Amino acid sequence: GNSREVSVYGQELNPTTWKLAKMNLAIRQIEGNLGDRNADTFHNDLHKSLKANFILANPPFNISDWGGDKLRDDVRWKYGTPPAGNANYAWIQHMICSMSSGKGRMAVVMPQGILFRGNQEAEIRKQLVESDLIEAVVTLGDKLFYGTGLSPCFLIIRRMKPAHHSGRILMIDGSKILTQKRAQNILEENDIDRLYSLYQNYSDEEDYSRIVTLQEIRDKEYNLSPNRYVVYHKEEIRP
């Protein structure tokens, strides 16, 4: 729509990236508030009162030195205290805390380990499932990020799901939806459209998607990996 009707809020630790982001918004004439300086989101939140309608984020993966031991009783950890050695679920809960109470919605890119790892992460994942905030889980293919073969995923989290989404999570296996290049896989426009259509259609599709109930997830001990739920086509075995 009209970019003049959008206000962008954000925060960035790296001073160079912060300056580039401010310049990027100015060039496109988009109203933006990235704080009056670069700062650490966890320890110096510049937008404590912010309640955003939409949150999009690709935070750094698996940060071990985020200072979590100094934030054990932080009010943002509504669903459980994140492990001091990994910030993934700290990012997720910080974003949920910043969502508006009505139509708040977010999409966050994460490593796939958040979908199945145990201990503190497993307990947080359980609480998120039981809160019925997760609308969709999407896994992506490998070699999409430069410098790593890590396969990412993203969560779509929503305060007020449509009625027919309540008590369910859409699982999408998008690991084969990509365009292969010599050394780097990419998501071309048709790949993005395909992933988007799977989300929009909100239905079971062999090899790609399945709607699962919270009880099914409980039965699998809160594992959120789509490949545990999607039904895959079995090729006919011929003699």
Side-chain angles (χ1 to χ4, degrees):
N2 186 352
S3 64
R4 295 182 185 274
E5 296 179 355
V6 175
S7 295
V8 174
Y9 293 81
Q11 184 165 334
E12 170 59 40
L13 177 62
N14 184 289
T16 301
T17 305
W18 177 71
K19 291 173 184 176
L20 286 171
K22 286 174 69 73
M23 183 176 67
N24 207 338
L25 290 170
I27 289 172
R28 287 163 174 76
Q29 297 184 313
I30 298 175
E31 180 185 342
N33 179 349
L34 305 185
D36 60 359
R37 63 194 182 283
N38 60 294
D40 184 317
T41 302
F42 292 131
H43 297 271
N44 188 12
D45 186 359
L46 300 180
H47 303 292
K48 285 187 176 179
S49 61
L50 174 67
K51 297 298 178 184
N53 291 334
F54 303 102
I55 297 174
L56 295 171
N58 177 14
F61 294 173
N62 300 321
I63 291 183
S64 59
D65 57 348
W66 63 285
D69 55 328
K70 300 176 182 177
L71 297 171
R72 308 309 293 169
D73 300 315
D74 197 286
V75 295
R76 289 171 289 186
W77 314 152
K78 180 178 178 181
Y79 303 97
T81 303
N86 194 309
N88 291 337
Y89 273 103
W91 289 119
I92 292 171
Q93 292 192 85
H94 169 78
M95 294 169 203
I96 292 174
C97 186
S98 299
M99 288 169 61
S100 66
S101 58
K103 54 185 177 181
R105 196 188 310 189
M106 64 180 259
V108 56
V109 181
M110 281 280 152
Q112 291 190 23
I114 68 155
L115 303 177
F116 54 81
R117 280 197 299 250
N119 300 319
Q120 289 163 277
E121 291 184 312
E123 182 57 31
I124 296 170
R125 189 167 60 248
K126 173 183 175 180
Q127 297 304 321
L128 286 174
V129 169
E130 293 298 343
S131 72
D132 203 16
L133 283 173
I134 302 173
E135 183 176 38
V137 177
V138 184
T139 49
L140 299 175
D142 61 1
K143 297 182 181 178
L144 289 172
F145 291 124
Y146 290 103
T148 177
L150 190 70
S151 299
C153 67
F154 63 91
L155 304 180
I156 297 177
I157 292 177
R158 196 167 181 172
R159 287 278 190 214
M160 298 182 67
K161 293 182 183 180
H164 64 293
H165 294 195
S166 181
R168 296 171 172 82
I169 297 177
L170 175 63
M171 297 289 183
I172 297 176
D173 181 352
S175 59
K176 304 301 181 185
I177 302 175
L178 49 75
T179 299
Q180 294 183 328
K181 297 295 183 180
R182 184 174 298 174
Q184 188 74 39
N185 295 329
I186 63 171
L187 292 177
E188 292 191 335
E189 201 67 36
N190 61 305
D191 300 317
I192 295 169
D193 290 344
R194 177 74 174 113
L195 288 166
Y196 179 66
S197 68
L198 286 168
Y199 169 65
Q200 283 291 92
N201 292 343
Y202 196 81
S203 61
D204 295 349
E205 185 171 330
E206 190 177 65
D207 294 330
Y208 292 104
S209 64
R210 185 162 171 263
I211 301 167
V212 301
T213 65
L214 300 191
Q215 186 56 53
E216 288 179 86
I217 295 170
R218 292 183 192 111
D219 292 343
K220 286 186 166 50
E221 298 180 331
Y222 298 93
N223 188 312
L224 291 180
S225 300
N227 61 15
R228 297 287 301 274
Y229 303 94
V230 171
V231 176
Y232 296 96
H233 174 69
K234 295 181 180 179
E235 295 185 4
E236 182 180 355
I237 300 175
R238 304 189 181 197

